[in-house]
Amino acid sequence: MLIICFITLYPIWYVLVNAFNDGEDAMRGGIYWIPRVFSLTSFHAVFRSDGIMTAMWITVAKTVVGVIVHVFFTAMVAYAFSRKELIGRKVYMLIGTITMFFGGGLIPYYLLIRDLHLLDNFLVYIIPAAFSFFDLIIFLSFFREIPAGLEEAARIDGANDFQIFYKVIIPVSMPVVATIALFHGVYQWNDYFTGMIYMNDMDLQPIQTFLYRVVAQSSSNQMLAAMPSGVSVSVTSQSLKLATMVVTTAPIVIVYPFLQKYFVKGFMIGSIKG
């Protein structure tokens, strides 16, 4: 187990160590455990580079808005699917299951996005990802385990279906809500493909697309050329790439522990008796 943990964590540690080391000194190699010459110059260069802060704000915005829309819409549809009186439920389930295994392909999907006027539109990050049938199945499995007595008690008090969903189902479903929110948040944060394919406007591209250009298209050299001479003295292309990786990965790593508690916490303790 220790060997597996080491193999998993050491590459992350190696990136951190070299990112916080002086760029020119790191070119000599031999840095494995701690920075030999500690320096924040690479991070300074990252935040001084053109476009990165705009890309960061776009990523934060699309992650927050995307998670809220996705969780709300998917949970609402899943709650409707959990109702036995829903007409045609089996047909809908069959159609949804088929979409999990078959798709139209990239070109038809691109044409659809174009016809919906979502090219170079911030909503391209939100609307296509607003619903996931796989996440619906997770929600559906959870909703089916909620005792019917909770809904019956709410109906006796005069609540309608929407009030039951907002005030009863969602509050007791926070573990699955947090799980889906984390899964979709990680997807939104790490998604570079959408920005690369559907965004020509550089001001609307997310941080992961920016990182892709740094790593795959040698944009780090362009970033270095754009730096003031005093900033890029000890910054190299490699150190800039590593620092950018740390900056783009750190936020989602920091958020994860705050949601992890929902994975192991009981969700129905004390909610109903008998």
Side-chain angles (χ1 to χ4, degrees):
M1 182 64 69
L2 291 176
I3 295 176
I4 295 176
C5 290
F6 175 79
I7 295 174
T8 303
L9 297 177
Y10 180 73
I12 301 174
W13 179 252
Y14 180 83
V15 170
L16 284 172
V17 168
N18 282 271
F20 282 98
N21 197 84
D22 180 82
E24 291 186 348
D25 179 75
M27 294 286 290
R28 296 161 46 198
I31 302 174
Y32 303 108
W33 302 108
I34 59 175
R36 187 165 51 214
V37 180
F38 183 83
S39 174
L40 296 176
T41 308
S42 296
F43 291 93
H44 186 203
V46 167
F47 287 105
R48 289 284 300 274
S49 62
D50 295 334
I52 190 170
M53 293 309 299
T54 300
M56 181 67 76
W57 283 116
I58 290 294
T59 302
V60 171
K62 83 184 189 75
T63 300
V64 173
V65 176
V67 166
I68 294 173
V69 172
H70 179 83
V71 170
F72 170 79
F73 190 73
T74 305
M76 186 168 57
V77 177
Y79 177 65
F81 270 66
S82 69
R83 310 298 301 172
K84 295 181 179 179
E85 60 269 25
L86 177 66
I87 299 176
R89 182 176 60 170
K90 293 183 179 179
V91 176
Y92 300 147
M93 287 294 296
L94 177 61
I95 295 174
T97 302
I98 292 175
T99 64
M100 295 175 60
F101 299 97
F102 301 98
L106 179 59
I107 295 178
Y109 187 72
Y110 181 89
L111 296 178
L112 174 63
I113 295 296
R114 184 198 63 185
D115 292 341
L116 292 175
H117 305 288
L118 292 178
L119 295 179
D120 289 329
N121 190 329
F122 178 80
L123 292 178
V124 75
Y125 299 124
I126 309 301
I127 294 178
F131 177 76
S132 167
F133 197 80
F134 179 81
D135 290 344
L136 178 142
I137 294 175
I138 298 176
F139 270 117
L140 186 60
S141 300
F142 194 92
F143 290 161
R144 285 174 176 171
E145 298 298 323
I146 298 177
L150 284 176
E151 296 186 42
E152 294 173 0
R155 291 192 184 279
I156 292 175
D157 291 336
N160 56 36
D161 288 330
F162 285 101
Q163 291 173 326
I164 292 174
F165 176 71
Y166 293 127
K167 298 181 179 180
V168 178
I169 302 300
I170 291 299
V172 300
S173 303
M174 289 309 298
V176 70
V177 168
T179 301
I180 298 301
L182 179 61
F183 288 166
H184 191 70
V186 171
Y187 160 76
Q188 285 283 8
W189 188 270
N190 291 331
D191 178 33
Y192 75 95
F193 188 77
T194 302
M196 184 178 66
I197 298 296
Y198 308 113
M199 282 294 177
N200 293 319
D201 188 351
M202 299 295 292
D203 291 334
L204 290 176
Q205 291 187 343
I207 190 66
Q208 297 300 341
T209 304
F210 182 89
L211 175 61
Y212 170 82
R213 297 186 185 281
V214 170
V215 175
Q217 299 181 7
S218 300
S219 294
S220 54
N221 293 325
Q222 300 174 10
M223 291 168 61
L224 284 173
M227 291 298 101
S229 58
V231 174
S232 58
V233 169
S234 59
V235 177
T236 64
S237 175
Q238 182 66 17
S239 67
L240 198 57
K241 291 178 182 179
L242 296 177
T244 306
M245 290 179 187
V246 173
V247 169
T248 56
T249 306
I252 201 68
V253 174
I254 294 173
V255 170
Y256 179 81
F258 294 98
L259 297 177
Q260 187 181 16
K261 62 180 180 180
Y262 290 105
F263 302 154
V264 295
K265 182 179 179 182
F267 70 98
M268 293 302 296
I269 297 177
S271 62
I272 187 170
K273 296 178 184 276

